[in-house]
mmCIF file of all heavy atoms in Angstrom:
data_model
loop_
_atom_site.group_PDB
_atom_site.id
_atom_site.type_symbol
_atom_site.label_atom_id
_atom_site.label_comp_id
_atom_site.label_asym_id
_atom_site.label_seq_id
_atom_site.Cartn_x
_atom_site.Cartn_y
_atom_site.Cartn_z
ATOM 1 N N MET J 27 1.235 -13.789 -17.655
ATOM 2 C CA MET J 27 0.343 -12.895 -16.899
ATOM 3 C C MET J 27 0.933 -12.625 -15.512
ATOM 4 O O MET J 27 1.160 -13.551 -14.744
ATOM 5 C CB MET J 27 -1.033 -13.555 -16.726
ATOM 6 C CG MET J 27 -1.899 -13.520 -17.984
ATOM 7 S SD MET J 27 -2.635 -11.900 -18.262
ATOM 8 C CE MET J 27 -3.950 -11.883 -17.023
ATOM 9 N N PRO J 28 1.162 -11.389 -15.178
ATOM 10 C CA PRO J 28 1.635 -11.086 -13.817
ATOM 11 C C PRO J 28 0.520 -11.286 -12.816
ATOM 12 O O PRO J 28 -0.662 -11.107 -13.121
ATOM 13 C CB PRO J 28 2.036 -9.611 -13.901
ATOM 14 C CG PRO J 28 1.207 -9.057 -15.007
ATOM 15 C CD PRO J 28 1.014 -10.186 -15.995
ATOM 16 N N LYS J 29 0.929 -11.714 -11.633
ATOM 17 C CA LYS J 29 -0.055 -11.793 -10.551
ATOM 18 C C LYS J 29 -0.409 -10.373 -10.107
ATOM 19 O O LYS J 29 0.374 -9.453 -10.253
ATOM 20 C CB LYS J 29 0.526 -12.579 -9.375
ATOM 21 C CG LYS J 29 0.624 -14.053 -9.659
ATOM 22 C CD LYS J 29 1.115 -14.814 -8.450
ATOM 23 C CE LYS J 29 2.604 -14.614 -8.262
ATOM 24 N NZ LYS J 29 3.150 -15.414 -7.147
ATOM 25 N N VAL J 30 -1.576 -10.234 -9.564
ATOM 26 C CA VAL J 30 -2.015 -8.917 -9.102
ATOM 27 C C VAL J 30 -2.605 -9.019 -7.705
ATOM 28 O O VAL J 30 -3.038 -10.088 -7.275
ATOM 29 C CB VAL J 30 -3.064 -8.276 -10.047
ATOM 30 C CG1 VAL J 30 -2.475 -8.033 -11.425
ATOM 31 C CG2 VAL J 30 -4.317 -9.129 -10.135
ATOM 32 N N LYS J 31 -2.594 -7.902 -7.003
ATOM 33 C CA LYS J 31 -3.332 -7.758 -5.747
ATOM 34 C C LYS J 31 -4.294 -6.594 -5.927
ATOM 35 O O LYS J 31 -4.025 -5.661 -6.678
ATOM 36 C CB LYS J 31 -2.387 -7.416 -4.584
ATOM 37 C CG LYS J 31 -1.520 -8.553 -4.077
ATOM 38 C CD LYS J 31 -0.735 -8.077 -2.871
ATOM 39 C CE LYS J 31 0.304 -9.063 -2.393
ATOM 40 N NZ LYS J 31 -0.271 -10.309 -1.871
ATOM 41 N N LYS J 32 -5.388 -6.674 -5.188
ATOM 42 C CA LYS J 32 -6.332 -5.566 -5.226
ATOM 43 C C LYS J 32 -5.947 -4.536 -4.172
ATOM 44 O O LYS J 32 -5.770 -4.844 -3.012
ATOM 45 C CB LYS J 32 -7.757 -6.065 -4.977
ATOM 46 C CG LYS J 32 -8.809 -4.972 -5.126
ATOM 47 C CD LYS J 32 -10.213 -5.504 -4.847
ATOM 48 C CE LYS J 32 -10.714 -6.403 -5.968
ATOM 49 N NZ LYS J 32 -11.034 -5.653 -7.200
ATOM 50 N N CYS J 33 -5.803 -3.308 -4.597
ATOM 51 C CA CYS J 33 -5.479 -2.217 -3.678
ATOM 52 C C CYS J 33 -6.738 -1.847 -2.891
ATOM 53 O O CYS J 33 -7.770 -1.548 -3.497
ATOM 54 C CB CYS J 33 -4.973 -1.023 -4.483
ATOM 55 S SG CYS J 33 -4.745 0.459 -3.486
ATOM 56 N N PRO J 34 -6.663 -1.880 -1.546
ATOM 57 C CA PRO J 34 -7.859 -1.595 -0.747
ATOM 58 C C PRO J 34 -8.257 -0.118 -0.765
ATOM 59 O O PRO J 34 -9.339 0.241 -0.312
ATOM 60 C CB PRO J 34 -7.442 -2.018 0.673
ATOM 61 C CG PRO J 34 -5.965 -1.862 0.679
ATOM 62 C CD PRO J 34 -5.501 -2.188 -0.719
ATOM 63 N N HIS J 35 -7.386 0.709 -1.300
ATOM 64 C CA HIS J 35 -7.661 2.149 -1.285
ATOM 65 C C HIS J 35 -8.429 2.578 -2.536
ATOM 66 O O HIS J 35 -9.353 3.366 -2.465
ATOM 67 C CB HIS J 35 -6.345 2.915 -1.167
ATOM 68 C CG HIS J 35 -6.488 4.320 -0.661
ATOM 69 N ND1 HIS J 35 -6.796 4.610 0.648
ATOM 70 C CD2 HIS J 35 -6.374 5.502 -1.292
ATOM 71 C CE1 HIS J 35 -6.849 5.915 0.800
ATOM 72 N NE2 HIS J 35 -6.609 6.489 -0.359
ATOM 73 N N CYS J 36 -8.034 2.040 -3.697
ATOM 74 C CA CYS J 36 -8.712 2.405 -4.948
ATOM 75 C C CYS J 36 -9.521 1.237 -5.529
ATOM 76 O O CYS J 36 -10.217 1.412 -6.524
ATOM 77 C CB CYS J 36 -7.710 2.914 -5.970
ATOM 78 S SG CYS J 36 -6.475 1.695 -6.461
ATOM 79 N N ASN J 37 -9.398 0.048 -4.889
ATOM 80 C CA ASN J 37 -10.133 -1.141 -5.335
ATOM 81 C C ASN J 37 -9.815 -1.545 -6.767
ATOM 82 O O ASN J 37 -10.668 -2.091 -7.466
ATOM 83 C CB ASN J 37 -11.643 -0.937 -5.177
ATOM 84 C CG ASN J 37 -12.061 -0.999 -3.718
ATOM 85 O OD1 ASN J 37 -11.639 -1.893 -2.988
ATOM 86 N ND2 ASN J 37 -12.868 -0.053 -3.293
ATOM 87 N N GLU J 38 -8.569 -1.296 -7.193
ATOM 88 C CA GLU J 38 -8.143 -1.751 -8.512
ATOM 89 C C GLU J 38 -6.984 -2.727 -8.348
ATOM 90 O O GLU J 38 -6.246 -2.678 -7.376
ATOM 91 C CB GLU J 38 -7.715 -0.553 -9.364
ATOM 92 C CG GLU J 38 -8.899 0.311 -9.755
ATOM 93 C CD GLU J 38 -8.479 1.503 -10.604
ATOM 94 O OE1 GLU J 38 -7.335 1.513 -11.091
ATOM 95 O OE2 GLU J 38 -9.293 2.418 -10.742
ATOM 96 N N ASP J 39 -6.819 -3.618 -9.345
ATOM 97 C CA ASP J 39 -5.747 -4.610 -9.310
ATOM 98 C C ASP J 39 -4.441 -4.021 -9.841
ATOM 99 O O ASP J 39 -4.442 -3.300 -10.839
ATOM 100 C CB ASP J 39 -6.126 -5.826 -10.169
ATOM 101 C CG ASP J 39 -7.258 -6.626 -9.543
ATOM 102 O OD1 ASP J 39 -7.455 -6.511 -8.323
ATOM 103 O OD2 ASP J 39 -7.925 -7.358 -10.287
ATOM 104 N N HIS J 40 -3.349 -4.370 -9.164
ATOM 105 C CA HIS J 40 -2.026 -3.898 -9.579
ATOM 106 C C HIS J 40 -1.015 -5.017 -9.412
ATOM 107 O O HIS J 40 -1.150 -5.854 -8.523
ATOM 108 C CB HIS J 40 -1.588 -2.699 -8.728
ATOM 109 C CG HIS J 40 -2.487 -1.510 -8.857
ATOM 110 N ND1 HIS J 40 -2.296 -0.542 -9.806
ATOM 111 C CD2 HIS J 40 -3.603 -1.155 -8.169
ATOM 112 C CE1 HIS J 40 -3.248 0.372 -9.684
ATOM 113 N NE2 HIS J 40 -4.052 0.018 -8.706
ATOM 114 N N SER J 41 0.038 -5.013 -10.249
ATOM 115 C CA SER J 41 1.069 -6.050 -10.161
ATOM 116 C C SER J 41 2.277 -5.593 -9.350
ATOM 117 O O SER J 41 3.153 -6.401 -9.056
ATOM 118 C CB SER J 41 1.511 -6.484 -11.559
ATOM 119 O OG SER J 41 2.003 -5.379 -12.284
ATOM 120 N N ILE J 42 2.337 -4.315 -9.010
ATOM 121 C CA ILE J 42 3.372 -3.814 -8.101
ATOM 122 C C ILE J 42 2.673 -3.084 -6.964
ATOM 123 O O ILE J 42 1.877 -2.174 -7.196
ATOM 124 C CB ILE J 42 4.359 -2.866 -8.810
ATOM 125 C CG1 ILE J 42 5.108 -3.619 -9.907
ATOM 126 C CG2 ILE J 42 5.355 -2.273 -7.797
ATOM 127 C CD1 ILE J 42 6.060 -2.755 -10.711
ATOM 128 N N MET J 43 2.951 -3.554 -5.741
ATOM 129 C CA MET J 43 2.277 -2.988 -4.575
ATOM 130 C C MET J 43 3.308 -2.608 -3.527
ATOM 131 O O MET J 43 4.371 -3.220 -3.440
ATOM 132 C CB MET J 43 1.308 -4.018 -3.969
ATOM 133 C CG MET J 43 0.288 -4.576 -4.940
ATOM 134 S SD MET J 43 -0.942 -3.390 -5.444
ATOM 135 C CE MET J 43 -2.025 -3.392 -4.011
ATOM 136 N N PHE J 44 2.964 -1.649 -2.702
ATOM 137 C CA PHE J 44 3.854 -1.192 -1.649
ATOM 138 C C PHE J 44 3.234 -1.539 -0.298
ATOM 139 O O PHE J 44 2.075 -1.212 -0.033
ATOM 140 C CB PHE J 44 4.088 0.316 -1.782
ATOM 141 C CG PHE J 44 4.760 0.661 -3.090
ATOM 142 C CD1 PHE J 44 4.009 0.905 -4.224
ATOM 143 C CD2 PHE J 44 6.134 0.692 -3.177
ATOM 144 C CE1 PHE J 44 4.616 1.182 -5.442
ATOM 145 C CE2 PHE J 44 6.760 0.973 -4.389
ATOM 146 C CZ PHE J 44 5.996 1.216 -5.524
ATOM 147 N N ARG J 45 4.044 -2.249 0.525
ATOM 148 C CA ARG J 45 3.562 -2.704 1.825
ATOM 149 C C ARG J 45 3.735 -1.554 2.808
ATOM 150 O O ARG J 45 4.867 -1.161 3.100
ATOM 151 C CB ARG J 45 4.377 -3.923 2.241
ATOM 152 C CG ARG J 45 3.934 -4.623 3.490
ATOM 153 C CD ARG J 45 4.690 -5.954 3.609
ATOM 154 N NE ARG J 45 4.395 -6.609 4.871
ATOM 155 C CZ ARG J 45 5.176 -6.526 5.944
ATOM 156 N NH1 ARG J 45 6.295 -5.842 5.903
ATOM 157 N NH2 ARG J 45 4.845 -7.140 7.051
ATOM 158 N N VAL J 46 2.647 -1.033 3.290
ATOM 159 C CA VAL J 46 2.717 0.161 4.135
ATOM 160 C C VAL J 46 1.729 0.082 5.303
ATOM 161 O O VAL J 46 0.716 -0.606 5.249
ATOM 162 C CB VAL J 46 2.408 1.446 3.317
ATOM 163 C CG1 VAL J 46 3.403 1.623 2.182
ATOM 164 C CG2 VAL J 46 0.981 1.442 2.780
ATOM 165 N N GLN J 47 2.071 0.813 6.362
ATOM 166 C CA GLN J 47 1.116 1.159 7.418
ATOM 167 C C GLN J 47 0.878 2.651 7.268
ATOM 168 O O GLN J 47 1.815 3.409 7.043
ATOM 169 C CB GLN J 47 1.707 0.876 8.803
ATOM 170 C CG GLN J 47 2.028 -0.577 9.068
ATOM 171 C CD GLN J 47 2.722 -0.766 10.414
ATOM 172 O OE1 GLN J 47 3.339 0.130 10.953
ATOM 173 N NE2 GLN J 47 2.627 -1.969 10.948
ATOM 174 N N TYR J 48 -0.356 3.081 7.409
ATOM 175 C CA TYR J 48 -0.596 4.519 7.229
ATOM 176 C C TYR J 48 -1.769 5.056 8.034
ATOM 177 O O TYR J 48 -2.077 6.240 7.952
ATOM 178 C CB TYR J 48 -0.800 4.851 5.747
ATOM 179 C CG TYR J 48 -2.059 4.250 5.136
ATOM 180 C CD1 TYR J 48 -3.196 5.031 4.948
ATOM 181 C CD2 TYR J 48 -2.097 2.925 4.755
ATOM 182 C CE1 TYR J 48 -4.346 4.498 4.397
ATOM 183 C CE2 TYR J 48 -3.233 2.374 4.207
ATOM 184 C CZ TYR J 48 -4.359 3.166 4.023
ATOM 185 O OH TYR J 48 -5.499 2.632 3.476
ATOM 186 N N LYS J 49 -2.407 4.179 8.822
ATOM 187 C CA LYS J 49 -3.575 4.643 9.570
ATOM 188 C C LYS J 49 -3.241 4.804 11.051
ATOM 189 O O LYS J 49 -2.503 3.999 11.609
ATOM 190 C CB LYS J 49 -4.726 3.640 9.417
ATOM 191 C CG LYS J 49 -5.231 3.527 8.001
ATOM 192 C CD LYS J 49 -6.375 2.543 7.934
ATOM 193 C CE LYS J 49 -6.887 2.407 6.517
ATOM 194 N NZ LYS J 49 -8.015 1.462 6.431
ATOM 195 N N PRO J 50 -3.780 5.818 11.708
ATOM 196 C CA PRO J 50 -3.552 6.002 13.142
ATOM 197 C C PRO J 50 -4.017 4.778 13.930
ATOM 198 O O PRO J 50 -5.076 4.226 13.650
ATOM 199 C CB PRO J 50 -4.413 7.217 13.497
ATOM 200 C CG PRO J 50 -4.653 7.918 12.207
ATOM 201 C CD PRO J 50 -4.640 6.856 11.131
ATOM 202 N N ALA J 51 -3.197 4.353 14.906
ATOM 203 C CA ALA J 51 -3.563 3.251 15.801
ATOM 204 C C ALA J 51 -3.914 1.976 15.044
ATOM 205 O O ALA J 51 -4.726 1.174 15.500
ATOM 206 C CB ALA J 51 -4.726 3.653 16.710
ATOM 207 N N ASP J 52 -3.328 1.778 13.893
ATOM 208 C CA ASP J 52 -3.573 0.579 13.097
ATOM 209 C C ASP J 52 -2.235 0.042 12.613
ATOM 210 O O ASP J 52 -1.589 0.650 11.760
ATOM 211 C CB ASP J 52 -4.464 0.918 11.911
ATOM 212 C CG ASP J 52 -4.865 -0.318 11.115
ATOM 213 O OD1 ASP J 52 -4.317 -1.413 11.396
ATOM 214 O OD2 ASP J 52 -5.723 -0.188 10.234
ATOM 215 N N LYS J 53 -1.802 -1.093 13.219
ATOM 216 C CA LYS J 53 -0.507 -1.673 12.861
ATOM 217 C C LYS J 53 -0.624 -2.656 11.703
ATOM 218 O O LYS J 53 0.306 -3.383 11.401
ATOM 219 C CB LYS J 53 0.099 -2.391 14.078
ATOM 220 C CG LYS J 53 0.376 -1.463 15.250
ATOM 221 C CD LYS J 53 1.413 -0.413 14.892
ATOM 222 C CE LYS J 53 1.780 0.434 16.100
ATOM 223 N NZ LYS J 53 2.512 1.645 15.722
ATOM 224 N N THR J 54 -1.785 -2.713 11.080
ATOM 225 C CA THR J 54 -1.981 -3.601 9.936
ATOM 226 C C THR J 54 -1.122 -3.154 8.764
ATOM 227 O O THR J 54 -1.013 -1.958 8.482
ATOM 228 C CB THR J 54 -3.466 -3.577 9.511
ATOM 229 O OG1 THR J 54 -4.273 -3.878 10.627
ATOM 230 C CG2 THR J 54 -3.721 -4.593 8.400
ATOM 231 N N TRP J 55 -0.495 -4.130 8.097
ATOM 232 C CA TRP J 55 0.225 -3.812 6.867
ATOM 233 C C TRP J 55 -0.742 -3.925 5.694
ATOM 234 O O TRP J 55 -1.379 -4.960 5.516
ATOM 235 C CB TRP J 55 1.405 -4.762 6.665
ATOM 236 C CG TRP J 55 2.523 -4.513 7.618
ATOM 237 C CD1 TRP J 55 2.776 -5.218 8.762
ATOM 238 C CD2 TRP J 55 3.539 -3.489 7.517
ATOM 239 N NE1 TRP J 55 3.891 -4.670 9.368
ATOM 240 C CE2 TRP J 55 4.372 -3.633 8.635
ATOM 241 C CE3 TRP J 55 3.798 -2.477 6.593
ATOM 242 C CZ2 TRP J 55 5.463 -2.794 8.860
ATOM 243 C CZ3 TRP J 55 4.879 -1.641 6.812
ATOM 244 C CH2 TRP J 55 5.705 -1.805 7.934
ATOM 245 N N TYR J 56 -0.828 -2.883 4.911
ATOM 246 C CA TYR J 56 -1.686 -2.868 3.728
ATOM 247 C C TYR J 56 -0.817 -2.860 2.477
ATOM 248 O O TYR J 56 0.270 -2.271 2.469
ATOM 249 C CB TYR J 56 -2.568 -1.620 3.717
ATOM 250 C CG TYR J 56 -3.573 -1.574 4.839
ATOM 251 C CD1 TYR J 56 -3.291 -0.914 6.023
ATOM 252 C CD2 TYR J 56 -4.812 -2.186 4.700
ATOM 253 C CE1 TYR J 56 -4.207 -0.874 7.066
ATOM 254 C CE2 TYR J 56 -5.746 -2.148 5.731
ATOM 255 C CZ TYR J 56 -5.432 -1.495 6.907
ATOM 256 O OH TYR J 56 -6.349 -1.458 7.930
ATOM 257 N N PHE J 57 -1.297 -3.501 1.435
ATOM 258 C CA PHE J 57 -0.629 -3.413 0.135
ATOM 259 C C PHE J 57 -1.365 -2.375 -0.711
ATOM 260 O O PHE J 57 -2.497 -2.598 -1.130
ATOM 261 C CB PHE J 57 -0.628 -4.773 -0.567
ATOM 262 C CG PHE J 57 0.364 -5.746 0.031
ATOM 263 C CD1 PHE J 57 -0.027 -6.665 0.977
ATOM 264 C CD2 PHE J 57 1.696 -5.718 -0.369
ATOM 265 C CE1 PHE J 57 0.883 -7.559 1.538
ATOM 266 C CE2 PHE J 57 2.617 -6.609 0.177
ATOM 267 C CZ PHE J 57 2.212 -7.525 1.137
ATOM 268 N N LEU J 58 -0.710 -1.241 -0.933
ATOM 269 C CA LEU J 58 -1.311 -0.179 -1.725
ATOM 270 C C LEU J 58 -0.555 -0.022 -3.041
ATOM 271 O O LEU J 58 0.643 -0.292 -3.124
ATOM 272 C CB LEU J 58 -1.264 1.162 -0.980
ATOM 273 C CG LEU J 58 -2.003 1.291 0.347
ATOM 274 C CD1 LEU J 58 -1.999 2.748 0.792
ATOM 275 C CD2 LEU J 58 -3.421 0.776 0.262
ATOM 276 N N CYS J 59 -1.248 0.472 -4.058
ATOM 277 C CA CYS J 59 -0.594 0.775 -5.319
ATOM 278 C C CYS J 59 0.194 2.088 -5.185
ATOM 279 O O CYS J 59 0.024 2.840 -4.220
ATOM 280 C CB CYS J 59 -1.614 0.855 -6.454
ATOM 281 S SG CYS J 59 -2.698 2.295 -6.355
ATOM 282 N N GLU J 60 1.031 2.346 -6.166
ATOM 283 C CA GLU J 60 1.898 3.521 -6.065
ATOM 284 C C GLU J 60 1.089 4.819 -5.979
ATOM 285 O O GLU J 60 1.413 5.717 -5.199
ATOM 286 C CB GLU J 60 2.829 3.568 -7.281
ATOM 287 C CG GLU J 60 3.820 4.719 -7.200
ATOM 288 C CD GLU J 60 4.822 4.687 -8.336
ATOM 289 O OE1 GLU J 60 4.541 4.040 -9.370
ATOM 290 O OE2 GLU J 60 5.877 5.311 -8.179
ATOM 291 N N ALA J 61 0.045 4.932 -6.774
ATOM 292 C CA ALA J 61 -0.748 6.165 -6.772
ATOM 293 C C ALA J 61 -1.353 6.417 -5.394
ATOM 294 O O ALA J 61 -1.390 7.552 -4.920
ATOM 295 C CB ALA J 61 -1.852 6.077 -7.822
ATOM 296 N N CYS J 62 -1.812 5.345 -4.733
ATOM 297 C CA CYS J 62 -2.427 5.521 -3.419
ATOM 298 C C CYS J 62 -1.378 5.803 -2.353
ATOM 299 O O CYS J 62 -1.645 6.550 -1.413
ATOM 300 C CB CYS J 62 -3.257 4.293 -3.070
ATOM 301 S SG CYS J 62 -4.726 4.153 -4.104
ATOM 302 N N VAL J 63 -0.183 5.214 -2.488
ATOM 303 C CA VAL J 63 0.899 5.559 -1.556
ATOM 304 C C VAL J 63 1.188 7.054 -1.641
ATOM 305 O O VAL J 63 1.303 7.737 -0.618
ATOM 306 C CB VAL J 63 2.177 4.747 -1.873
ATOM 307 C CG1 VAL J 63 3.375 5.309 -1.103
ATOM 308 C CG2 VAL J 63 1.976 3.284 -1.501
ATOM 309 N N LEU J 64 1.276 7.561 -2.846
ATOM 310 C CA LEU J 64 1.568 8.981 -3.011
ATOM 311 C C LEU J 64 0.443 9.849 -2.460
ATOM 312 O O LEU J 64 0.650 10.990 -2.065
ATOM 313 C CB LEU J 64 1.803 9.298 -4.494
ATOM 314 C CG LEU J 64 3.058 8.664 -5.102
ATOM 315 C CD1 LEU J 64 3.136 8.940 -6.594
ATOM 316 C CD2 LEU J 64 4.311 9.170 -4.401
ATOM 317 N N GLU J 65 -0.751 9.268 -2.404
ATOM 318 C CA GLU J 65 -1.884 10.013 -1.876
ATOM 319 C C GLU J 65 -1.888 10.035 -0.338
ATOM 320 O O GLU J 65 -2.203 11.061 0.274
ATOM 321 C CB GLU J 65 -3.177 9.372 -2.396
ATOM 322 C CG GLU J 65 -4.421 10.193 -2.150
ATOM 323 C CD GLU J 65 -5.648 9.515 -2.747
ATOM 324 O OE1 GLU J 65 -5.604 9.109 -3.919
ATOM 325 O OE2 GLU J 65 -6.649 9.374 -2.022
ATOM 326 N N VAL J 66 -1.547 8.877 0.284
ATOM 327 C CA VAL J 66 -1.668 8.800 1.748
ATOM 328 C C VAL J 66 -0.385 9.215 2.474
ATOM 329 O O VAL J 66 -0.411 9.507 3.663
ATOM 330 C CB VAL J 66 -2.057 7.362 2.211
ATOM 331 C CG1 VAL J 66 -3.360 6.929 1.553
ATOM 332 C CG2 VAL J 66 -0.951 6.361 1.950
ATOM 333 N N LYS J 67 0.744 9.227 1.752
ATOM 334 C CA LYS J 67 2.031 9.430 2.409
ATOM 335 C C LYS J 67 2.327 10.877 2.854
ATOM 336 O O LYS J 67 2.851 11.067 3.956
ATOM 337 C CB LYS J 67 3.134 8.955 1.464
ATOM 338 C CG LYS J 67 4.534 9.064 2.029
ATOM 339 C CD LYS J 67 5.532 8.518 1.010
ATOM 340 C CE LYS J 67 6.959 8.670 1.500
ATOM 341 N NZ LYS J 67 7.920 8.122 0.512
ATOM 342 N N PRO J 68 2.036 11.895 2.033
ATOM 343 C CA PRO J 68 2.510 13.249 2.373
ATOM 344 C C PRO J 68 2.043 13.728 3.746
ATOM 345 O O PRO J 68 0.839 13.722 4.039
ATOM 346 C CB PRO J 68 1.925 14.127 1.262
ATOM 347 C CG PRO J 68 1.699 13.197 0.127
ATOM 348 C CD PRO J 68 1.299 11.887 0.779
ATOM 349 N N GLY J 69 2.995 14.087 4.589
ATOM 350 C CA GLY J 69 2.678 14.631 5.891
ATOM 351 C C GLY J 69 2.076 13.635 6.871
ATOM 352 O O GLY J 69 1.576 14.030 7.920
ATOM 353 N N ASN J 70 2.103 12.347 6.539
ATOM 354 C CA ASN J 70 1.458 11.328 7.368
ATOM 355 C C ASN J 70 2.482 10.711 8.323
ATOM 356 O O ASN J 70 3.318 9.920 7.911
ATOM 357 C CB ASN J 70 0.851 10.259 6.458
ATOM 358 C CG ASN J 70 0.036 9.239 7.242
ATOM 359 O OD1 ASN J 70 0.114 9.167 8.461
ATOM 360 N ND2 ASN J 70 -0.734 8.460 6.520
ATOM 361 N N SER J 71 2.387 11.058 9.612
ATOM 362 C CA SER J 71 3.358 10.554 10.591
ATOM 363 C C SER J 71 3.133 9.079 10.903
ATOM 364 O O SER J 71 3.945 8.448 11.557
ATOM 365 C CB SER J 71 3.300 11.382 11.877
ATOM 366 O OG SER J 71 2.021 11.287 12.459
ATOM 367 N N HIS J 72 2.020 8.500 10.461
ATOM 368 C CA HIS J 72 1.732 7.091 10.681
ATOM 369 C C HIS J 72 2.252 6.230 9.542
ATOM 370 O O HIS J 72 2.158 5.010 9.595
ATOM 371 C CB HIS J 72 0.222 6.874 10.832
ATOM 372 C CG HIS J 72 -0.388 7.724 11.884
ATOM 373 N ND1 HIS J 72 -0.219 7.490 13.234
ATOM 374 C CD2 HIS J 72 -1.120 8.854 11.804
ATOM 375 C CE1 HIS J 72 -0.843 8.435 13.928
ATOM 376 N NE2 HIS J 72 -1.393 9.268 13.085
ATOM 377 N N TYR J 73 2.766 6.850 8.513
ATOM 378 C CA TYR J 73 3.225 6.105 7.344
ATOM 379 C C TYR J 73 4.499 5.326 7.654
ATOM 380 O O TYR J 73 5.454 5.877 8.188
ATOM 381 C CB TYR J 73 3.486 7.069 6.180
ATOM 382 C CG TYR J 73 4.045 6.389 4.956
ATOM 383 C CD1 TYR J 73 3.204 5.783 4.038
ATOM 384 C CD2 TYR J 73 5.417 6.349 4.731
ATOM 385 C CE1 TYR J 73 3.714 5.151 2.920
ATOM 386 C CE2 TYR J 73 5.941 5.723 3.614
ATOM 387 C CZ TYR J 73 5.087 5.117 2.717
ATOM 388 O OH TYR J 73 5.598 4.493 1.615
ATOM 389 N N ARG J 74 4.483 4.017 7.350
ATOM 390 C CA ARG J 74 5.681 3.177 7.435
ATOM 391 C C ARG J 74 5.751 2.364 6.155
ATOM 392 O O ARG J 74 4.748 1.823 5.712
ATOM 393 C CB ARG J 74 5.592 2.195 8.596
ATOM 394 C CG ARG J 74 5.522 2.811 9.971
ATOM 395 C CD ARG J 74 6.874 3.260 10.502
ATOM 396 N NE ARG J 74 6.773 3.778 11.856
ATOM 397 C CZ ARG J 74 6.342 5.009 12.161
ATOM 398 N NH1 ARG J 74 5.932 5.821 11.197
ATOM 399 N NH2 ARG J 74 6.278 5.412 13.410
ATOM 400 N N TYR J 75 6.956 2.227 5.615
ATOM 401 C CA TYR J 75 7.150 1.438 4.403
ATOM 402 C C TYR J 75 7.762 0.096 4.777
ATOM 403 O O TYR J 75 8.734 0.055 5.521
ATOM 404 C CB TYR J 75 8.060 2.213 3.445
ATOM 405 C CG TYR J 75 8.515 1.413 2.255
ATOM 406 C CD1 TYR J 75 7.634 1.150 1.203
ATOM 407 C CD2 TYR J 75 9.811 0.920 2.176
ATOM 408 C CE1 TYR J 75 8.052 0.417 0.110
ATOM 409 C CE2 TYR J 75 10.237 0.195 1.075
ATOM 410 C CZ TYR J 75 9.350 -0.059 0.055
ATOM 411 O OH TYR J 75 9.763 -0.793 -1.032
ATOM 412 N N GLY J 76 7.204 -0.981 4.275
ATOM 413 C CA GLY J 76 7.685 -2.316 4.655
ATOM 414 C C GLY J 76 8.080 -3.187 3.495
ATOM 415 O O GLY J 76 8.208 -4.398 3.649
ATOM 416 N N GLY J 77 8.294 -2.601 2.317
ATOM 417 C CA GLY J 77 8.748 -3.414 1.192
ATOM 418 C C GLY J 77 7.852 -3.295 -0.014
ATOM 419 O O GLY J 77 6.760 -2.737 0.058
ATOM 420 N N THR J 78 8.340 -3.833 -1.107
ATOM 421 C CA THR J 78 7.602 -3.782 -2.366
ATOM 422 C C THR J 78 7.252 -5.204 -2.798
ATOM 423 O O THR J 78 8.058 -6.110 -2.671
ATOM 424 C CB THR J 78 8.447 -3.102 -3.447
ATOM 425 O OG1 THR J 78 8.815 -1.801 -3.012
ATOM 426 C CG2 THR J 78 7.676 -2.983 -4.760
ATOM 427 N N TRP J 79 6.040 -5.414 -3.282
ATOM 428 C CA TRP J 79 5.586 -6.703 -3.786
ATOM 429 C C TRP J 79 5.435 -6.610 -5.295
ATOM 430 O O TRP J 79 4.798 -5.676 -5.811
ATOM 431 C CB TRP J 79 4.241 -7.061 -3.134
ATOM 432 C CG TRP J 79 3.656 -8.357 -3.606
ATOM 433 C CD1 TRP J 79 3.900 -9.600 -3.101
ATOM 434 C CD2 TRP J 79 2.715 -8.551 -4.678
ATOM 435 N NE1 TRP J 79 3.172 -10.535 -3.793
ATOM 436 C CE2 TRP J 79 2.452 -9.923 -4.764
ATOM 437 C CE3 TRP J 79 2.088 -7.668 -5.576
ATOM 438 C CZ2 TRP J 79 1.581 -10.457 -5.704
ATOM 439 C CZ3 TRP J 79 1.218 -8.204 -6.523
ATOM 440 C CH2 TRP J 79 0.966 -9.587 -6.585
ATOM 441 N N LYS J 80 6.054 -7.560 -6.006
ATOM 442 C CA LYS J 80 5.911 -7.603 -7.462
ATOM 443 C C LYS J 80 5.250 -8.913 -7.866
ATOM 444 O O LYS J 80 5.712 -9.983 -7.498
ATOM 445 C CB LYS J 80 7.275 -7.464 -8.137
ATOM 446 C CG LYS J 80 7.914 -6.108 -7.917
ATOM 447 C CD LYS J 80 9.126 -5.931 -8.827
ATOM 448 C CE LYS J 80 9.702 -4.526 -8.705
ATOM 449 N NZ LYS J 80 10.902 -4.462 -7.890
ATOM 450 N N GLY J 81 4.164 -8.813 -8.585
ATOM 451 C CA GLY J 81 3.410 -10.003 -8.974
ATOM 452 C C GLY J 81 4.017 -10.736 -10.136
ATOM 453 O O GLY J 81 4.976 -10.297 -10.730
HETATM 454 ZN ZN1 LIG L 116 -4.609 2.065 -5.109
#
């Protein structure tokens, strides 16, 4: 069984997560799933990628 994290954007569990910052004035690193990264990334000047987590 792969480990999973819950994506705070879609509230679903995933075994591959992307460590990103994407909110204005928020330096918190969030673990988002790929679908949510693709949703928050386009045109987002606050987006930073910090690595991939595999469960
Ligand atoms: Zn998600």
